[in-house]
Amino acid sequence: MEIKETNYTIRLVDPDRDYALFKEWWPAHGHAGVDRAILPQLGVMVQLGEEPMGALWLYMDNSVGVCFAEHPVTRPGLSLGQAREVFRLAIDYLKLAAKEMDYGFMVVRTPPAIARILEGMGFIRDQENMVSMLGMTGDSHGR
């Protein structure tokens, strides 16, 4: 599925086609990156014409109607205005997709700069001073 808005195109992420870009983009933003194996199937790429501009993924809880937008990334060198528009388009697309699947709430874990953009889109701050942690399920407290 592809959506066209103004000069931007929003399409689903194609991991075979797009993942190499993300591996370049994340470090440029001070992010170690995300292993391809843990990215959810529902991810969107925002393009300006044919030029990839940014991506965002959506994890969906399987027991309640809550989804989680994660791993925002934009092409390095975008202006703040361009990055804001790319992120807005990705969020809007994922919100519509989530609503169609009966998800009523979206949670976004994000850097402060993106939090300010989200506040302008009607999101509210849930918690302050939280640290994002990632661990393997096979570990038993390091033993």
Side-chain angles (χ1 to χ4, degrees):
M1 174 167 63
E2 196 174 273
I3 292 182
K4 187 95 167 139
E5 182 171 317
T6 61
N7 296 325
Y8 289 93
T9 301
I10 304 160
R11 64 169 173 82
L12 295 178
V13 166
D14 176 348
D16 293 332
R17 173 178 162 189
D18 301 323
Y19 188 73
L21 282 176
F22 309 138
K23 285 188 67 137
E24 293 175 17
W25 292 357
W26 279 312
H29 294 291
H31 188 298
V34 179
D35 191 285
R36 182 176 168 173
I38 66 169
L39 287 173
Q41 289 181 2
L42 181 49
V44 294
M45 172 71 84
V46 178
Q47 296 181 173
L48 183 57
E50 293 297 314
E51 184 71 29
M53 301 294 277
L56 184 66
W57 288 263
L58 191 69
Y59 291 92
M60 294 172 280
D61 188 281
N62 67 354
S63 62
V64 295
V66 177
C67 56
F68 305 84
E70 293 281 345
H71 315 302
V73 65
T74 56
R75 184 176 57 118
L78 295 185
S79 70
L80 180 59
Q82 286 175 310
R84 182 182 296 123
E85 183 65 2
V86 165
F87 189 67
R88 182 191 69 77
L89 291 168
I91 283 285
D92 283 350
Y93 181 99
L94 291 176
K95 283 174 72 176
L96 288 172
K99 183 177 174 119
E100 287 179 5
M101 294 181 278
D102 292 326
Y103 284 82
F105 292 94
M106 179 181 283
V107 176
V108 183
R109 181 178 50 100
T110 184
I114 294 176
R116 287 188 292 277
I117 296 168
L118 288 169
E119 285 174 329
M121 296 175 70
F123 283 79
I124 58 171
R125 289 181 186 251
D126 179 35
Q127 298 176 357
E128 295 286 335
N129 300 318
M130 296 298 291
V131 175
S132 176
M133 305 294 292
L134 180 65
M136 301 292 289
T137 58
D139 280 350
S140 178
H141 305 293
R143 294 179 216 159

